[in-house]
């Protein structure tokens, strides 16, 4: 089992910044990659960013490239999503997820474990 706990969500004005963190514990061999997804009511969970634990390769959705940065701290088993220049359309519940696979990281069904989610609200 892998346990994921997100933190750092909140309310911010457009143009502002927020940092989300995901603390991972449990089977290290079950989390070769980590991802962030977001979801709004009535819509599917959308890919935001992903990172491989080994090598640190990163991947981003086009909508967040240049604004969001995903990083990892192997020693602390945490993954961070730095979100800058936030827009109202970034408002969503953000989920952290872990994957055994290191391919197709933009697909929600690739991931094996999920956190409980954290709300991010960007006001205009």
């Amino acid at each position: 089992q892998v346990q994921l706990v997100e933190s750092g969500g909140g309310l911010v004005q457009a143009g502002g910044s927020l940092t989300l963190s995901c603390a991972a514990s449990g089977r290290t061999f079950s989390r070769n990659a980590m991802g962030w997804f977001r979801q709004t009511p009535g819509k599917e969970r959308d890919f935001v960013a992903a990172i491989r634990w080994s090598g640190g390769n990163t991947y981003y959705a086009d909508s967040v490239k240049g604004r969001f940065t995903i990083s990892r701290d192997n020693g602390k088993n945490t993954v961070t999503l730095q979100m800058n220049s936030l827009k109202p359309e970034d408002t969503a519940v953000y989920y952290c997820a872990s994957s055994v696979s290191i391919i197709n990281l933009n697909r929600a069904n690739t991931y094996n474990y999920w956190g409980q989610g954290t709300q991010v609200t960007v006001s205009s």
Side-chain angles (χ1 to χ4, degrees), residues 67-86:
R67 300 189 298 123
F68 291 11
T69 302
I70 189 171
S71 61
R72 84 227 188 279
D73 185 327
N74 289 352
K76 294 182 179 180
N77 288 328
T78 58
V79 174
T80 298
L81 185 68
Q82 176 65 44
M83 305 186 294
N84 298 327
S85 302
L86 283 161

Side-chain angles (χ1 to χ4, degrees), residues 106-123:
N106 60 336
R107 300 179 183 177
N109 60 9
T110 294
Y111 293 81
N112 308 100
Y113 299 96
W114 293 83
Q116 80 287 354
T118 185
Q119 177 70 47
V120 171
T121 303
V122 184
S123 63

Side-chain angles (χ1 to χ4, degrees), residues 17-123:
S17 299
L18 277 177
T19 303
L20 303 183
S21 293
C22 177
S25 61
R27 295 180 171 181
T28 57
F29 58 83
S30 296
R31 41 186 176 94
N32 294 315
M34 300 291 291
W36 286 96
F37 286 73
R38 63 189 182 187
Q39 189 172 27
T40 54
K43 294 190 176 181
E44 294 185 351
R45 202 164 287 189
D46 291 331
F47 172 71
V48 175
I51 188 167
R52 297 184 183 182
W53 277 110
S54 177
N57 305 65
T58 57
Y59 311 88
Y60 296 95
D62 288 342
S63 59
V64 306
K65 279 181 182 176
R67 300 189 298 123
F68 291 11
T69 302
I70 189 171
S71 61
R72 84 227 188 279
D73 185 327
N74 289 352
K76 294 182 179 180
N77 288 328
T78 58
V79 174
T80 298
L81 185 68
Q82 176 65 44
M83 305 186 294
N84 298 327
S85 302
L86 283 161
K87 306 174 181 180
E89 51 263 43
D90 294 317
T91 295
V93 177
Y94 282 70
Y95 294 91
C96 172
S98 70
S99 170
V100 174
S101 174
I102 58 171
I103 62 173
N104 297 323
L105 293 177
N106 60 336
R107 300 179 183 177
N109 60 9
T110 294
Y111 293 81
N112 308 100
Y113 299 96
W114 293 83
Q116 80 287 354
T118 185
Q119 177 70 47
V120 171
T121 303
V122 184
S123 63

